[in-house]
Amino acid sequence: MTLPDLAPLVLTLKLAALTTLVLLLLGTPLAWWLAHTRSRWKPVVEATTALPLVLPPTVLGFYLLVLLNPQAPLGRWWLTLTDTTLTFSFAGLVVASVVYSLPFTVQPLQAAFEAVGRRPLEVAATLRASPLDAFFTVATPMAARGYLTATVLTFAHTIGEFGVVLMVGGNIPGQTKVISIAIYEHVETINYPAAHTLSAGLLAFSFLVLLFVYVWNRRYPVHLR
């Protein structure tokens, strides 16, 4: 019995973990701003954030490829800084995954922050808590369910990426060959047993993730202000 190649699995988990961490750091202030701002630009920012939900992955991947290539300002800056390219590299996959999974982090966090409301923060302010202190000691614990949902969905969505990572990273073993690319390669080479094994694993994982989120949300509903 031939053992399956675990390199795509390890690379996929590494990509999903790093993407989730980056998006939690970047998505938190954006979601907080969206939850509390009254700016007329809010709909524009919300629409931009949600674009990956409706854009075909190949369209998003194509424009990311244009943006990240060594001839573009960002790609040229990265090449000068690291002597490596963003395209067809793991770093490029991280950038692409952050963009592609952005709404799966921001939207749950925005909903959680909106559910918290302003009153708990106002109460914290009367107790002389600074805005930053109130955020970490009051808003963040109260939005814990949103953080859990955002983390789980972002991680799972990154694992299932295909079109974007193929466009930006290609199929380089050990660098950009993630599980979805490995499945595609197995199908192309008519290795259906291997493709079935990986596909069944992703199917089971995706179902369990969604089941967990729905059960959690049903058991711990948000009480709006």
mmCIF file of all heavy atoms in Angstrom, residues 34 40-50:
data_model
loop_
_atom_site.group_PDB
_atom_site.id
_atom_site.type_symbol
_atom_site.label_atom_id
_atom_site.label_comp_id
_atom_site.label_asym_id
_atom_site.label_seq_id
_atom_site.Cartn_x
_atom_site.Cartn_y
_atom_site.Cartn_z
ATOM 1 N N LEU A 34 -16.425 49.147 10.840
ATOM 2 C CA LEU A 34 -17.680 48.942 10.120
ATOM 3 C C LEU A 34 -18.866 48.843 11.070
ATOM 4 O O LEU A 34 -19.976 49.273 10.742
ATOM 5 C CB LEU A 34 -17.597 47.672 9.263
ATOM 6 C CG LEU A 34 -16.709 47.748 8.022
ATOM 7 C CD1 LEU A 34 -16.568 46.369 7.377
ATOM 8 C CD2 LEU A 34 -17.257 48.754 7.008
ATOM 9 N N ARG A 40 -20.251 57.852 5.276
ATOM 10 C CA ARG A 40 -20.970 57.558 4.042
ATOM 11 C C ARG A 40 -20.223 56.555 3.178
ATOM 12 O O ARG A 40 -20.771 56.030 2.209
ATOM 13 C CB ARG A 40 -21.183 58.855 3.260
ATOM 14 C CG ARG A 40 -19.883 59.529 2.812
ATOM 15 C CD ARG A 40 -20.175 60.774 2.003
ATOM 16 N NE ARG A 40 -18.951 61.427 1.561
ATOM 17 C CZ ARG A 40 -18.908 62.500 0.767
ATOM 18 N NH1 ARG A 40 -20.047 63.035 0.335
ATOM 19 N NH2 ARG A 40 -17.764 63.036 0.413
ATOM 20 N N TRP A 41 -18.960 56.294 3.525
ATOM 21 C CA TRP A 41 -18.160 55.331 2.779
ATOM 22 C C TRP A 41 -18.354 53.904 3.273
ATOM 23 O O TRP A 41 -17.789 52.968 2.702
ATOM 24 C CB TRP A 41 -16.675 55.700 2.861
ATOM 25 C CG TRP A 41 -16.344 56.979 2.157
ATOM 26 C CD1 TRP A 41 -16.120 58.191 2.735
ATOM 27 C CD2 TRP A 41 -16.223 57.169 0.743
ATOM 28 N NE1 TRP A 41 -15.858 59.149 1.777
ATOM 29 C CE2 TRP A 41 -15.920 58.535 0.534
ATOM 30 C CE3 TRP A 41 -16.338 56.325 -0.353
ATOM 31 C CZ2 TRP A 41 -15.741 59.063 -0.725
ATOM 32 C CZ3 TRP A 41 -16.160 56.854 -1.618
ATOM 33 C CH2 TRP A 41 -15.867 58.208 -1.795
ATOM 34 N N LYS A 42 -19.126 53.726 4.322
ATOM 35 C CA LYS A 42 -19.314 52.383 4.881
ATOM 36 C C LYS A 42 -19.842 51.385 3.848
ATOM 37 O O LYS A 42 -19.301 50.277 3.733
ATOM 38 C CB LYS A 42 -20.245 52.451 6.092
ATOM 39 C CG LYS A 42 -20.537 51.079 6.701
ATOM 40 C CD LYS A 42 -21.461 51.171 7.902
ATOM 41 C CE LYS A 42 -21.794 49.783 8.434
ATOM 42 N NZ LYS A 42 -22.681 49.838 9.623
ATOM 43 N N PRO A 43 -20.892 51.722 3.067
ATOM 44 C CA PRO A 43 -21.373 50.746 2.066
ATOM 45 C C PRO A 43 -20.304 50.374 1.041
ATOM 46 O O PRO A 43 -20.251 49.224 0.583
ATOM 47 C CB PRO A 43 -22.554 51.464 1.410
ATOM 48 C CG PRO A 43 -22.998 52.478 2.408
ATOM 49 C CD PRO A 43 -21.746 52.916 3.097
ATOM 50 N N VAL A 44 -19.468 51.340 0.683
ATOM 51 C CA VAL A 44 -18.410 51.070 -0.294
ATOM 52 C C VAL A 44 -17.397 50.084 0.281
ATOM 53 O O VAL A 44 -16.978 49.131 -0.391
ATOM 54 C CB VAL A 44 -17.709 52.380 -0.709
ATOM 55 C CG1 VAL A 44 -16.552 52.087 -1.658
ATOM 56 C CG2 VAL A 44 -18.705 53.336 -1.347
ATOM 57 N N VAL A 45 -17.015 50.312 1.543
ATOM 58 C CA VAL A 45 -16.048 49.417 2.188
ATOM 59 C C VAL A 45 -16.655 48.035 2.381
ATOM 60 O O VAL A 45 -15.991 47.010 2.169
ATOM 61 C CB VAL A 45 -15.586 50.002 3.540
ATOM 62 C CG1 VAL A 45 -14.643 49.036 4.254
ATOM 63 C CG2 VAL A 45 -14.895 51.352 3.326
ATOM 64 N N GLU A 46 -17.923 47.975 2.769
ATOM 65 C CA GLU A 46 -18.587 46.683 2.950
ATOM 66 C C GLU A 46 -18.668 45.920 1.629
ATOM 67 O O GLU A 46 -18.434 44.702 1.587
ATOM 68 C CB GLU A 46 -19.989 46.889 3.521
ATOM 69 C CG GLU A 46 -20.001 47.267 4.993
ATOM 70 C CD GLU A 46 -21.407 47.418 5.535
ATOM 71 O OE1 GLU A 46 -22.247 48.031 4.841
ATOM 72 O OE2 GLU A 46 -21.668 46.944 6.658
ATOM 73 N N ALA A 47 -18.997 46.624 0.558
ATOM 74 C CA ALA A 47 -19.089 45.976 -0.752
ATOM 75 C C ALA A 47 -17.725 45.471 -1.212
ATOM 76 O O ALA A 47 -17.605 44.368 -1.759
ATOM 77 C CB ALA A 47 -19.662 46.951 -1.776
ATOM 78 N N THR A 48 -16.689 46.279 -0.980
ATOM 79 C CA THR A 48 -15.336 45.880 -1.359
ATOM 80 C C THR A 48 -14.891 44.650 -0.566
ATOM 81 O O THR A 48 -14.291 43.715 -1.119
ATOM 82 C CB THR A 48 -14.350 47.035 -1.123
ATOM 83 O OG1 THR A 48 -14.782 48.189 -1.857
ATOM 84 C CG2 THR A 48 -12.949 46.646 -1.552
ATOM 85 N N THR A 49 -15.205 44.648 0.717
ATOM 86 C CA THR A 49 -14.842 43.520 1.574
ATOM 87 C C THR A 49 -15.538 42.233 1.138
ATOM 88 O O THR A 49 -14.961 41.144 1.199
ATOM 89 C CB THR A 49 -15.208 43.830 3.040
ATOM 90 O OG1 THR A 49 -14.530 45.021 3.461
ATOM 91 C CG2 THR A 49 -14.816 42.682 3.953
ATOM 92 N N ALA A 50 -16.765 42.362 0.671
ATOM 93 C CA ALA A 50 -17.562 41.191 0.295
ATOM 94 C C ALA A 50 -17.315 40.716 -1.139
ATOM 95 O O ALA A 50 -17.830 39.670 -1.535
ATOM 96 C CB ALA A 50 -19.050 41.489 0.483
#
